[in-house]
Amino acid sequence: MSDPAVSFARAEATRTHPLTAAFAEAQRFELDPFQVAGCHALEDDRSVLVAAPTGAGKTIVGEFAIHLAMLQPGDKAFYTTPMKALSNQKFRELQAVYGESEVGLLTGDTNINGNARVVVMTTEVLRNMLYAASPALHGLRFVVMDEVHYLADRFRGAVWEEVIIHLPPPVRLVSLSATVSNAEEFGDWLDTVRGETEVIVSETRPVPLEQHVLVRGDLLPLFDDRAGVATALVNQELMRLRSPTGANVDTDRRAIEARPHGGNTSPRKRTHRGGQRPVRSATIHRLERLDRPEVVELLARANLLPAIFFVFSRVGCDAAVQQVRRAGVRLTSREERDEIRQIVDERTRTLEDEDLVVLGYWEWRENLERGIAAHHAGLLPAFKEVVEELFRRKLVKAVFATETLALGINMPARTVVLEKLEKFNGEARVAITSGEYTQLTGRAGRRGIDVEGHAVIQWTEALDPQAVAALASRRTYPLNSSFRPTYNMAVNLIDRFGRPRAREILESSFAQFQADRAVVGLARQVKDAEDSLAGYEKAMTCDRGDYADFARMRRELSDLERKGDRSAPAHLRRQRQEQLETLRRRLQRHPCNSCPDRETHARWAERYWKLRRQTDKLRQQIDARTGTVARIFDQVVDVLSALDYVAVDSGGATSLTPAGATMKRIYGERDLLVAESLRTGIWTELDPAGMAALACCLVYEPRRDESGTGEHGLPRGPFRAALNATEELWARLDDLEQGNRLPGSAPVATGLAAAMYAWARGGTLDRVLDQADLAAGDFVRWTKQTIDLLDQLSIVANPPVATIARKALDAIRRGIVAYASV
């Protein structure tokens, strides 16, 4: 029999939230409490922040928002993601639910059904729509911001805050985040700038995670089985292995060798690959690591596949696949191999045969047929998507991946293997953080398939079990703002709101909220007060004259009357009396004095001046606090003013010049340099290939190990002249920025210019990749960023640059760059 209390609670929830109940009933699995709470908040017309572990199913709350929008004719919902790959994936998922006609996709280089009621897009696209006041915003009811913790990203994070601040007030925001340690603080900020926002935090994984350390052929529990993870008591067997002395050699060897071996045992029985040489010493320097093929086979025997091996190096990922292949490992049946070949051939049929050869297609397909693959940013996007699809279908069983795979893509595994707990951050090898550990191991455990997920750490000489336990048991992943005003942001804010209001808006950013939480509340009060002041001013308007002037004189008269002091010297009393009589005569002669509604206007005027005094005090409080973001904004405006993008009149009011109006539509790290280059006309002599190469110089970021830019192989003629002029212009702008206490920007990078020039002139893929010294995926990524910039130039530039940019765009959007799998 069912529990009466539970039955009553369910009936009550159905009565109060019928839309949530109907939506939950249609799902394949019962919704978790945090998912239900999120849906209830949306049904109650509140915004919501959901912070939950990877794989917990927080996107169901976003899908409910879309469901609500689709229930009302004319309502729209936008679903934003930080990456094009995620947008593509969500686009396909929503198409399967609502049909092709109702779902659109906007990712900068892809525009499919952009006027649909449900549109999936990258966050940058939505930001640009908001600044342009796009008609597509009409009817927008919900915006889902998936992976909202990306606002901590130092390069792109500001976009998330811009969107959150500028969305129209009626729009309800669904913020989906990984588990962060300051979710409540972020939720408080959302509540301040977006209105009532429900904060829902869940740290419960839907599939429990078992943590293991792989020592030779044995999977040892990281935590003591009797104590559990909550106590973070490390398995004492691991601690003995960590001992730097050989005191317990014989004891530890007997302990390890006495454990059960072989076969298809569960990890709790500590599988061991028979035939290995016995452990010679418990000292960590003597413990031998299994090579990758042996680890894959061990997991296969223990029924722990599919697995993702995080390697933290592209070269390491590719080398791992080759190593497993050379060992003859095959994880698929004949039927699975046939299915893999059919899927791969279908997904890549539009690629040219000569390009397939350059991309190593045949070896890549054979590896997939064995059930193994690599996944990293150097792969062609089409190849990555094939790997993801085959892994989700359980056809590929072992993927060697860099950490980018952990960032939101729906690719869960039964097991996650970490070969090392440190990575190269571009400058040095550093230990991964507990947040990164949680994000990586969060891929383990497939909801509805696995009873538990498994995280496997491979033993290394430097492994400290206590440190691993700390990583596994902590959830310290703070969300810190990276918001910083840009030139494009400044001109858009000034154009829409004027400089004073723009500063107040920036005071409402999460960056300022974290620097001084009180400022956000004060700025909100000022904004609300300004709205009320405008209403009061309208209410006290008199058709007979300037009532604000009349009210000001009445206030002066009242103040003088209150200041009357009988003990004051006679000459001061006479002076005050003369002022009173003068004011009274002026009031009597004022046209508003004879208005029949004079006293009604007076009541509104009194409210106006009272609120005005309060607002002035609030402004003083804001000015007295640390206005870090607004000060940076002022420095940005000073640069824009010096270059005549912003005009400042004698009263300090700002407005955009024609050059500033152009900059409104230029987005990216180089917005000022691009705008100045267009205004000074230094690109007018370029041909399409030269324009593509120069645009590439402005978006390309060289690798840290890449040698100096140099001029070897760069095109000559008009390109060289335009490049030199651009570099000189950058130097002048950098000096100006430094003089205004701004950090400046990196020099123009020419490392990919020669290859992009060759590609635009029809060069073959093998020649261009060799010239670029880049993997195919990297070349496609930089080319698409070049296309984004050229697309902007084709819209905002004057002829002939706009025409040349369009031709350049068409010249490089070909072959593997033009291939789209959506």
Side-chain angles (χ1 to χ4, degrees), residues 98-261:
Y98 296 107
E100 292 185 5
S101 63
E102 297 286 9
V103 184
L105 176 68
L106 298 173
T107 61
D109 59 351
T110 303
N111 185 338
I112 301 174
N113 200 16
N115 291 317
R117 292 180 60 196
V118 179
V119 185
V120 184
M121 62 186 69
T122 53
T123 318
E124 282 84 355
V125 169
L126 179 54
R127 185 270 311 272
N128 299 352
M129 291 171 68
L130 288 168
Y131 279 153
S134 170
L137 297 169
H138 295 159
L140 182 61
R141 186 180 175 197
F142 294 101
V143 167
V144 183
M145 300 194 79
D146 203 353
E147 310 285 340
V148 75
H149 50 274
Y150 253 80
L151 68 77
D153 183 86
R154 67 190 183 98
F155 296 111
R156 300 171 57 211
V159 177
W160 273 255
E161 292 191 45
E162 289 179 83
V163 168
I164 291 169
I165 291 170
H166 293 306
L167 275 174
V171 175
R172 293 294 168 258
L173 187 66
V174 184
S175 304
L176 307 177
S177 171
T179 305
V180 293
S181 52
N182 60 335
E184 289 76 12
E185 178 189 39
F186 183 51
D188 288 345
W189 174 69
L190 289 172
D191 196 78
T192 303
V193 297
R194 296 298 317 162
E196 192 175 2
T197 300
E198 186 89 6
V199 179
I200 298 168
V201 178
S202 173
E203 295 198 24
T204 304
R205 284 177 49 94
V207 181
L209 183 66
E210 294 287 326
Q211 320 245 12
H212 315 277
V213 177
L214 178 59
V215 183
R216 280 186 72 224
D218 295 272
L219 285 170
L220 306 184
L222 173 60
F223 295 100
D224 191 314
D225 291 340
R226 296 161 296 180
V229 177
T231 62
L233 182 61
V234 179
N235 185 347
Q236 292 304 299
E237 203 166 354
L238 291 172
M239 296 305 296
R240 287 196 297 273
L241 292 173
R242 178 75 173 115
S243 171
T245 69
N248 296 320
V249 170
D250 293 335
T251 303
D252 289 332
R253 183 175 65 240
R254 286 193 297 270
I256 292 175
E257 292 177 348
R259 286 194 293 272
H261 299 320

Side-chain angles (χ1 to χ4, degrees), residues 379-415:
L379 281 179
L380 190 69
F383 283 18
K384 280 198 296 184
E385 291 179 13
V386 168
V387 172
E388 292 160 16
E389 179 180 355
L390 294 177
F391 192 82
R392 285 194 295 270
R393 292 190 180 205
K394 305 179 216 174
L395 295 171
V396 164
K397 315 297 176 74
V399 169
F400 297 88
T402 55
E403 61 187 308
T404 54
L405 187 147
L407 301 176
I409 296 173
N410 180 24
M411 198 169 156
R414 183 161 196 214
T415 303

Side-chain angles (χ1 to χ4, degrees), residues 599-662:
E599 293 311 310
T600 301
H601 295 328
R603 285 193 294 272
W604 285 111
E606 185 59 31
R607 295 176 188 174
Y608 175 88
W609 288 110
K610 183 179 179 180
L611 184 59
R612 179 68 178 268
R613 286 193 295 269
Q614 294 173 355
T615 304
D616 289 342
K617 289 180 180 178
L618 289 174
R619 291 185 192 279
Q620 291 171 6
Q621 292 180 48
I622 290 174
D623 291 340
R625 295 175 186 270
T626 53
T628 311
V629 177
R631 280 202 301 273
I632 296 172
F633 171 73
D634 288 338
Q635 293 157 3
V636 167
V637 173
D638 288 344
V639 171
L640 291 170
S641 175
L643 295 170
D644 198 34
Y645 286 89
V646 169
V648 183
D649 65 19
S650 57
T654 52
S655 60
L656 298 189
T657 65
T662 298

Side-chain angles (χ1 to χ4, degrees), residues 456-473:
V456 176
I457 315 301
Q458 285 198 261
W459 184 272
T460 66
E461 294 179 0
L463 189 76
D464 180 357
Q466 291 280 16
V468 179
L471 282 176
S473 56

